[in-house]
Amino acid sequence: MEILYQNLSNIELQHVIMWVIGGILIYLAIAKEMEPTLLLPMGFGAILVNLPIAEADSGVQAVIDFLFKIGIDSHELFPLLLFVGIGAMIDFEPLLTNPKLMLFGAAAQFGIFFTLLMASFFFPELKDAASIAIIGAADGPTSIFVAGQLQSNYIGAIMVAAYSYMALVPLVQPPIIKLCTTKKERLIRMPYKGKKVSKLTKILFPIVVTVIVALVAPDAVALIGFLMFGNLIRECGVLNSLSDTAQNVLANLITIFLGITIAARMKAEDFLQWQTLLIMGLGLVAFIVDTFGGIMLAKIMNLFSKEKINPMIGAAGISAFPMSARVVHKLGLEEDSSNFLLMHSIGVNVSGQIASVIAGGLILALVKGILGM
Amino acid sequence: MHEFIMNIGRAVINFFCSIDTANLTDAVSIMGIGMLGIFIVTGVIILTVLLLNKLFSR
């Protein structure tokens, strides 16, 4: 009876607030189906690590801390393994048939660097500003990897912002796309020339990209290496069962533990700070500027190109695979029910996946160079 | 009311005075080099894909 009273008396307002936040994440995951694979474990984890009993050596905290230590803190094992699964899921064919789509993926990383500039106003430590900026990669594993490598103090809030906005892409992007484009631009048709890509090209692509990125941005080699390894398993044609395992079993298994592990950094004392709200705001800025960057490049290219590009596809360079491509395709259909932009937007979307990893590697190299890490 | 507005003004001035310009300079240089770097790497990848397509197209 005394223990019961002790536990009840340990409950503080900040715990209750974190339970509510956990509850909201679970609600969004179940009722709104927003990134349920991550928001649900994160929501439950947020409740779990903020139970007063958990603080009193119940073992729960120790296990979650251990998962964090081996899965994120030591060598970012979880995000890297997840990238094997993501690589196995991605079909680069739309990109290989029209490689210039990669430029949109590059342009849509502008949000990362713009947010870095904004974050440096509010966060005195460059490593924190850079970790917050990488929310703009719109790619959970890259955000975890960079924030983990830079040992940011705000990794919990960064993860929540990154995954929340990825889930909110269908709500965040359409108004920005409509604001940045005219109706005439949105009606531009882009016939898909489905050129056949040889199997050898598909096999060589992941190997070549890994080598190129490793030479220019060595800090991104782990991310791009694991992503492309997964893709090589998919494309080689002789490891179908491994490809299937990577896409389903491995990705699901890691996702379960990743969500609950991130919750290790959602303890009330770390999470309930004014900086968390600021990080959420900066994350939104990153996504908006990413979208803007991709669209603007398409508009600029249209000034010089005979074959006009529908600027909406530039918005898919935000990574957030495959939601962003679907959003663009849906918007295209809303304007003209016979305008199919899916293959183009998928091509831009997968290029955004590669570009976000390159951006992460460059941020790491540049920030570590400045800080002497 | 006057005091309240003065306090907000002071807070704004304090905020701008507290901005670390060294950090800002670093951020601007990272922005420039970073965007340039992405486009260079992307350009190299595009050229490589074009080459692969040319070499191994059926």
Side-chain angles (χ1 to χ4, degrees), chain A residues 114-137:
Chain A
F114 182 81
T115 308
L116 172 62
L117 201 64
M118 291 291 106
S120 64
F121 278 108
F122 304 104
F123 292 87
E125 290 197 55
L126 187 60
K127 64 173 188 170
D128 290 326
S131 302
I132 293 161
I134 208 71
I135 295 171

Side-chain angles (χ1 to χ4, degrees), chain A residues 124-188:
Chain A
E125 290 197 55
L126 187 60
K127 64 173 188 170
D128 290 326
S131 302
I132 293 161
I134 208 71
I135 295 171
D139 177 37
T142 304
S143 300
I144 298 170
F145 186 82
V146 172
Q149 286 261 314
L150 293 177
Q151 294 161 357
S152 169
N153 301 314
Y154 304 105
I155 193 164
I158 290 167
M159 292 311 97
V160 173
Y163 281 108
S164 305
Y165 288 127
M166 274 170 66
L168 291 171
V169 157
L171 295 178
V172 173
Q173 281 204 305
I176 310 300
I177 294 172
K178 286 185 178 172
L179 205 67
C180 297
T181 54
T182 62
K183 187 165 179 69
K184 195 180 164 194
E185 286 173 328
R186 294 197 293 273
L187 285 169
I188 294 174

Side-chain angles (χ1 to χ4, degrees), chain A residues 96 106 110 121 124 198 200 208, chain B residues 19 23 31 38 41 48 53 56:
Chain A
L96 294 172
F110 181 59
F121 278 108
S198 71
L200 190 55
V208 169
Chain B
I19 291 170
N23 230 0
M31 190 176 182
I38 288 181
V41 180
T48 312
N53 278 339
F56 306 113

Side-chain angles (χ1 to χ4, degrees), chain A residues 3-212:
Chain A
I3 292 170
L4 179 67
Y5 283 129
Q6 199 187 340
N7 285 334
L8 284 173
S9 65
N10 279 343
I11 298 173
E12 291 174 19
L13 178 65
Q14 55 179 5
H15 293 134
V16 179
I17 295 172
M18 287 310 295
W19 299 345
V20 172
I21 291 173
I24 292 171
L25 293 179
I26 293 171
Y27 169 77
L28 291 174
I30 298 170
K32 302 288 177 188
E33 291 190 34
M34 287 182 175
E35 291 280 324
T37 50
L38 271 150
L39 290 193
L40 191 134
M42 277 167 69
F44 186 75
I47 295 171
L48 200 60
V49 296
N50 286 291
L51 292 171
I53 185 101
E55 291 177 357
D57 198 22
S58 63
V60 172
Q61 191 64 57
V63 171
I64 293 179
D65 280 344
F66 177 71
L67 282 173
F68 188 86
K69 197 176 167 191
I70 59 159
I72 294 177
D73 211 17
S74 53
H75 293 288
E76 290 81 28
L77 181 70
F78 287 169
L80 291 177
L81 289 178
L82 188 56
F83 251 32
V84 177
I86 294 171
M89 288 176 205
I90 296 179
D91 179 5
F92 284 113
E93 187 161 337
L95 176 66
L96 294 172
T97 54
N98 189 4
K100 77 173 179 194
L101 294 177
M102 271 211 78
L103 291 171
F104 300 114
Q109 307 311 312
F110 181 59
I112 296 176
F113 298 99
F114 182 81
T115 308
L116 172 62
L117 201 64
M118 291 291 106
S120 64
F121 278 108
F122 304 104
F123 292 87
E125 290 197 55
L126 187 60
K127 64 173 188 170
D128 290 326
S131 302
I132 293 161
I134 208 71
I135 295 171
D139 177 37
T142 304
S143 300
I144 298 170
F145 186 82
V146 172
Q149 286 261 314
L150 293 177
Q151 294 161 357
S152 169
N153 301 314
Y154 304 105
I155 193 164
I158 290 167
M159 292 311 97
V160 173
Y163 281 108
S164 305
Y165 288 127
M166 274 170 66
L168 291 171
V169 157
L171 295 178
V172 173
Q173 281 204 305
I176 310 300
I177 294 172
K178 286 185 178 172
L179 205 67
C180 297
T181 54
T182 62
K183 187 165 179 69
K184 195 180 164 194
E185 286 173 328
R186 294 197 293 273
L187 285 169
I188 294 174
R189 282 170 177 264
M190 293 178 68
Y192 180 67
K193 297 162 193 154
K195 285 180 259 173
K196 200 81 183 149
V197 178
S198 71
K199 190 180 172 186
L200 190 55
T201 303
K202 285 183 179 180
I203 292 172
L204 287 174
F205 179 73
I207 299 168
V208 169
V209 170
T210 305
V211 174
I212 293 171

